[in-house]
Amino acid sequence: MIRDVTLGQYFPGSSFLHRMDPRSKILLMVFYVVTLFLGDTALSYGLLLVTTAAVILLTRISLKFYLRGLKPLLFIMVFTGILNMLYSDGEPLFEFWIFSVSWNGIFSALFMILRIVLMVLIMSVLTYTTSPLLLTGGLERLLHPLTYLRVPVHDFAMMMTIALRFIPTLLEETEKIMNAQKARGADFESGSLVRRAKALIPILIPLFVSAFRRAEELAVAMECRCYEGDRKNRTRFVEYRFTWRDLVGALFCAALLVGVILLNRVIVWNGVGV
Amino acid sequence: MSEVILKAEGLVEVYGAGTPFEKTAVNNVSFELYENEFVGVIGHTGSGKSTLIQMLNGLIKPTEGTIYFRGEDVWAKKYDRRMLRSNVGLVFQYPEYQLFEETVEKDIAFGPRNMGLNEEEVALRVEQAMHFTGLSDKLRESSPFELSGGQKRRVAIAGILAMRPRVLILDEPTAGLDPKGCSEILANVREYQREERATVVLVSHSMEDVAANASRVLVLEKGNLKMLASTQEVFARGEELMKMGLNIPQITRIFLQLRARGHENLPSVLSPEEAIRCLDAVTGGGRK
């Protein structure tokens, strides 16, 4: 069903990661991804695999949801994997047509796929453990220095919050309208491409109308509560504070970086022919 | 008794089977609807009413159980479910949000056109549907988006009536309308039922509306069919209904309380008019 789409999904909880400050979570995720791309030996990837698994376990969210997040990326992973395998130098293991496959290529393909998987997993950790509100709030505060360059950071953050908030609402609305038109005999499943595109009109028009109506209502509701965008004297209901958890997280990430760099140098086994 | 038009047998609907969010929306519900009857469906929010009515016109496939329209299984392999949907017309809650055409006329014609009728027949049905819903002919060419809320609702209902369904299901057709608009729409629905000899299923939270229109009432609680009997019988069991968090018509409740205080000769009534008649009978008409 249409409702199964998981965009910006958040799983409420009270794990260590749930309670970290959103600002440090965002920064550390970026740091983690950079570390991921620094690794280039089997050992350093082994370490990254173990730490990522540990982080995922720490969120106390079922592994099922992480795997579901990986599914849509399967095609990209296979695609980049094959490309990496075919376009790597090294002693050819076997050749066919214009391609040659080497151990080197196979390893670099595996590493590339692992990189993508780990990156998506760690990003999922961020969105799964941070509510959209905290996420955009944290982002807004991190980007705050840009306001001195006259970038309307607050407005962008507010737009993002609202967009995230309305994704499920609009999905639900789409389903309702589709059912209502089906009840009037609309047919979305058969006919030529043109006919099917035309069949979308009875869904899209009511959907746009209701989206505009919602936007207008929301604007009025916000104005009723004296919302005026970003103002200097505007205070926050929730003040973010760094705690010991954030320190632990930062130390963990720093140690990981050091570990990856060290393991990159220890060439115990880095494939055959290197 | 007239013939059975729609039959539900052991309907079960489970959402999200196999996940932690699994929920049984409808649990083993069986009943029969007859031609030309008016059935009210009542139940608390989340009792499975919406799921049940969407199963009746083939929008939701039941996890278990069978639905028969005129004796035919609607989920049989070659069954034409689009045709079923024109035979079992479903007016959703707040149906005005499904309007999309440039003119009222075109919007009402959407259903009949999807049925593949010729233009003459479509025009005839649009005219009739507008008549049934009390829409003046002048509105034909107006944009449905310019109309008032009540008029939009009528256009949306007309869009279903134009398919001339044998069974008309309405989910809260009067929600958010003023009292005058409510009674007018219900009168329109009754007129349709009488003239077309159609079956009407009315889902409503207003017990007064159900009591005033329905001949039978179906009560749902947490997906289970709790009662299905004549309106009189169902509302006579007012206390049970109230335990389910449902209301009963005010006048019915007053009479129930009078009976509880010793006036056991009073019957169960459904409308103020009926109540006055009863009281007249009891007091010998000696009213001042």
Side-chain angles (χ1 to χ4, degrees), chain A residues 1 3 9 11 64-65 68 173 176-190 195 199 201-207 209-210 213 217, chain B residues 15 18-21 54 57 59-60 82 85-86 88-90 92-93 97-101 107-112 114-115 145 155-156 159-160 163:
Chain A
M1 225 187 341
R3 246 179 260 176
Q9 197 167 21
F11 298 93
K64 212 167 52 190
F65 296 112
R68 213 168 59 186
E173 188 102 1
K176 246 194 220 160
I177 293 171
M178 268 179 91
N179 274 341
Q181 305 300 25
K182 269 195 207 161
R184 295 209 275 166
D187 181 9
F188 307 118
E189 277 121 32
S190 61
R195 246 190 87 171
I201 295 174
I203 303 175
L204 290 180
I205 291 179
L207 196 62
V209 170
S210 91
R213 184 177 46 84
E217 280 170 7
Chain B
Y15 285 126
T19 70
F21 310 109
Q54 286 183 60
N57 81 338
L59 276 174
I60 296 180
R82 275 181 68 204
R85 283 173 202 150
S86 57
V88 182
L90 171 56
F92 275 85
Q93 234 174 65
Y97 294 141
Q98 71 192 20
L99 302 175
F100 70 99
E101 276 287 10
D107 208 292
I108 298 174
F110 182 66
N114 283 331
M115 292 165 71
F145 297 104
V155 173
I160 301 291
M163 299 194 294

Side-chain angles (χ1 to χ4, degrees), chain A residues 107-152:
Chain A
F107 273 104
S108 82
L110 280 179
F111 286 166
M112 201 30 126
I113 290 174
L114 203 58
R115 255 181 212 170
I116 298 175
V117 169
L118 291 182
M119 189 174 77
V120 172
L121 286 179
I122 212 75
M123 297 288 211
S124 314
V125 167
L126 177 64
T127 54
Y128 286 4
T129 63
T130 321
S131 76
L133 209 64
L134 281 178
L135 203 60
T136 47
L139 211 57
E140 182 187 348
R141 251 145 282 190
L142 283 176
L143 296 178
H144 188 73
L146 287 179
T147 49
Y148 296 109
L149 298 173
R150 308 214 166 189
V151 179

